[in-house]
Amino acid sequence: MSRAEDTPWDKPALAGTPITRDRYSSTAFMEQEWEKVWTKVWLLVARAPEIPEPGDYCVEEIGPESFITVRQKDGSIRSFYNVCQHRGSRITFAHEGTAERFVCPYHGWEWATNGILEKVGDPEDFRGGNPCGELSLVEVRCEVHAGFVFITMNENASTLKEYLGPVWDDWDRYHSDHWLRTSAATVAVDCNWKVPQDNSCESYHLPTVHPQGEYWIEHDYKDCIFDWCSEGHNRMAIKMGLPAKSLADKDLRIDDQLAAMLEPWGLNTDDFHGREYETRAAIQKAKRALAGERGYEVTDLSDDQLTDAYHYNIFPNVTISYAGCEYVSMQRMRPHPTDPTKCFYDNFTYGAAGSEGDADLENLGGKEWLHEGSQREFFTYGERLMNRRIADQDLSIVTGQQLGLKSRAYTGVNLSGQEDRVQRFHDVIDNYLND
């Protein structure tokens, strides 16, 4: 049995929340979401391996807020609002870097990486005495799991482990704490943040938006496993490493992408002509035999996790996709600070680390982003592509959908059963709004 079959989630009954136009275009709805959702939940802001040394930091903006997440001298990770406690200036406009201290660009106040104020100009001129050592940056709770760094603005939030629920144990099995960033892009997109997250909550669009995937991933919803849990997250397990059943009476063959999944594991594509549906089992067997000597940690993975896509929608705005034992991708949808019809779409990929702590990238197989480099790139949708074909195809849909969602002709959705995770996503939003 697969990991998903062995560990079914509780799947609370769907509430049928109306998925109305205002959810995607109303400023009032956006403000409600900010106060009742974003400020209450755990939010993914970083990867621990990206800030390995003391003073390494990254900065993320979520709606109107900005957060500095920084590695401490004792090896721990802490996160602070990116706001100087003098007169409110943003402290840094960098996205990542290394610092011995953070210096406010306005009046030069210097903050230690642990948030304590270290130096000000004219300290004798303050009526209450020298503020150094007395003031600190405002800290937010910060926890790490599977290498992903989460924060919450909610002082009364549950622990991250409680918040993630069954996701916690699933991610544990991949031992992905030290997987390394292989690509990173942030795209400004003209759509509400929920549009790409809705898209990530269903696979119904695969045959039309990602037709090339038919040669290496199963498209039939009856062969996929869809789950959701009381904690608010969704999971999809979808077979990968073999052609879709829909090709059986059409153009059944080993395409270049499937070949790139076979060949790095010593499998000859010629051996599978007429046996195309045996490729997935063969890849699993080869990985089980060879992964350990190549440095991959697969002992805790079931056979299906060696090949298949395990796709997690983490409420509210993140989709984490483990693709076999070799890599994981992160999609993160961040709301625009003022405009409900705009968002920022992040797409990062991470390669599995071997026993020497270095990713054997050449053996990942068939990934167009392998040689792109880990430097984060920022651009506006339409200026260029991310060079991640599936993500680029997804973004090609969302701006057009946003236009339709704003129309008076849009009166609500008509969802199929395989789109239940979309409904569940909106049910959870309303659970927070009504709390």
Side-chain angles (χ1 to χ4, degrees):
M1 292 179 70
S2 69
R3 168 69 181 176
E5 290 170 319
D6 283 339
T7 58
W9 290 6
D10 58 357
K11 296 180 74 169
L14 298 174
T17 298
I19 303 177
T20 51
R21 185 192 320 153
D22 63 317
R23 303 174 84 85
Y24 301 95
S25 55
S26 162
T27 300
F29 192 88
M30 176 185 187
E31 291 171 350
Q32 267 194 301
E33 283 183 331
W34 179 256
E35 292 300 329
K36 295 192 174 184
V37 179
W38 295 100
T39 63
K40 306 300 181 186
V41 297
W42 284 93
L43 299 166
L44 196 159
V45 295
R47 278 280 297 174
E50 294 172 8
I51 48 173
E53 301 298 330
D56 290 348
Y57 70 91
C58 62
V59 177
E60 285 299 345
E61 296 181 2
I62 301 173
E65 297 289 3
S66 178
F67 302 95
I68 303 171
T69 300
V70 57
R71 180 76 68 170
Q72 301 296 301
K73 291 179 180 179
D74 65 1
S76 65
I77 295 174
R78 297 172 70 178
S79 191
F80 305 92
Y81 285 96
N82 184 14
V83 178
C84 183
Q85 297 302 294
H86 177 209
R87 286 172 56 190
S89 174
R90 286 274 172 95
I91 295 171
T92 179
F93 292 89
H95 294 288
E96 54 193 14
T98 301
E100 294 183 4
R101 63 189 60 82
F102 296 105
V103 181
C104 177
Y106 193 3
H107 296 92
W109 282 28
E110 298 185 11
W111 302 87
T113 56
N114 65 1
I116 302 297
L117 181 62
E118 285 191 329
K119 184 179 180 180
V120 301
D122 303 326
E124 75 284 352
D125 193 38
F126 289 83
R127 293 185 181 87
N130 185 348
C132 292
E134 300 298 322
L135 291 180
S136 62
L137 300 178
V138 178
E139 188 168 3
V140 292
R141 289 175 58 192
C142 176
E143 295 187 27
V144 183
H145 183 56
F148 294 106
V149 182
F150 288 80
I151 63 164
T152 180
M153 294 174 266
N154 181 3
E155 294 180 358
N156 299 314
S158 63
T159 65
L160 178 62
K161 184 173 185 178
E162 291 169 328
Y163 183 78
L164 289 178
V167 174
W168 185 279
D169 289 338
D170 273 19
W171 288 5
D172 252 350
R173 298 170 70 91
Y174 287 92
H175 299 286
S176 60
D177 305 65
H178 303 292
W179 291 14
L180 305 176
R181 189 166 87 185
T182 53
S183 66
T186 291
V187 189
V189 187
D190 287 341
C191 70
N192 184 271
W193 69 274
K194 292 185 292 296
V195 178
Q197 185 69 337
D198 286 346
N199 180 72
S200 292
C201 288
E202 51 91 355
S203 59
Y204 189 34
H205 67 279
L206 292 185
T208 49
V209 180
H210 311 299
Q212 78 282 358
E214 195 173 20
Y215 288 93
W216 49 272
I217 192 167
E218 181 53 70
H219 281 185
D220 190 337
Y221 73 92
K222 295 185 290 294
D223 269 339
C224 300
I225 298 174
F226 307 116
D227 280 313
W228 53 90
C229 61
S230 296
E231 290 79 4
H233 318 301
N234 301 330
R235 177 179 70 178
M236 175 182 70
I238 185 167
K239 293 177 182 177
M240 200 161 69
L242 80 172
K245 288 181 179 177
S246 56
L247 287 174
D249 298 320
K250 295 192 294 183
D251 183 26
L252 183 60
R253 57 186 170 86
I254 307 291
D255 81 331
D256 290 343
Q257 177 69 41
L258 184 51
M261 295 179 176
L262 291 161
E263 291 168 355
W265 296 97
L267 298 169
N268 189 330
T269 57
D270 292 338
D271 293 340
F272 293 94
H273 290 307
R275 301 171 48 227
E276 288 83 0
Y277 288 114
E278 297 178 30
T279 53
R280 176 172 171 262
I283 295 170
Q284 290 173 356
K285 184 177 179 180
K287 287 183 176 181
R288 186 66 72 190
L290 300 174
E293 67 187 50
R294 294 187 180 184
Y296 299 113
E297 296 186 62
V298 301
T299 304
D300 294 331
L301 296 178
S302 58
D303 284 348
D304 70 306
Q305 288 176 301
L306 297 176
T307 53
D308 297 353
Y310 269 75
H311 192 75
Y312 299 88
N313 307 115
I314 305 303
F315 187 83
N317 67 320
V318 170
T319 297
I320 300 293
S321 299
Y322 282 93
C325 62
E326 296 115 316
Y327 88 100
V328 62
S329 66
M330 180 198 76
Q331 299 176 76
R332 179 177 55 195
M333 285 54 77
R334 293 180 289 119
H336 190 275
T338 58
D339 190 338
T341 66
K342 297 179 183 294
C343 74
F344 300 98
Y345 171 87
D346 301 318
N347 189 288
F348 291 18
T349 56
Y350 305 93
S355 58
E356 300 301 318
D358 192 16
D360 186 4
L361 296 180
E362 297 301 329
N363 282 328
L364 294 184
K367 308 299 180 214
E368 61 268 35
W369 40 262
L370 283 181
H371 302 290
E372 182 176 323
S374 61
Q375 186 69 33
R376 186 173 179 181
E377 300 185 2
F378 296 81
F379 55 95
T380 298
Y381 178 71
E383 292 179 348
R384 49 155 287 192
L385 296 175
M386 282 179 284
N387 297 319
R388 286 183 279 293
R389 189 175 182 185
I390 289 178
D392 287 326
Q393 289 170 327
D394 283 333
L395 286 191
S396 73
I397 293 297
V398 297
T399 52
Q401 187 182 7
Q402 178 68 40
L403 294 173
L405 290 168
K406 292 171 64 177
S407 170
R408 67 182 60 199
Y410 171 71
T411 58
V413 297
N414 295 280
L415 298 177
S416 63
Q418 61 192 290
E419 296 168 289
D420 280 349
R421 290 178 300 138
V422 177
Q423 183 63 66
R424 173 62 180 166
F425 170 50
H426 286 268
D427 288 351
V428 176
I429 291 174
D430 270 31
N431 288 345
Y432 277 88
L433 295 182
N434 297 326
D435 188 12

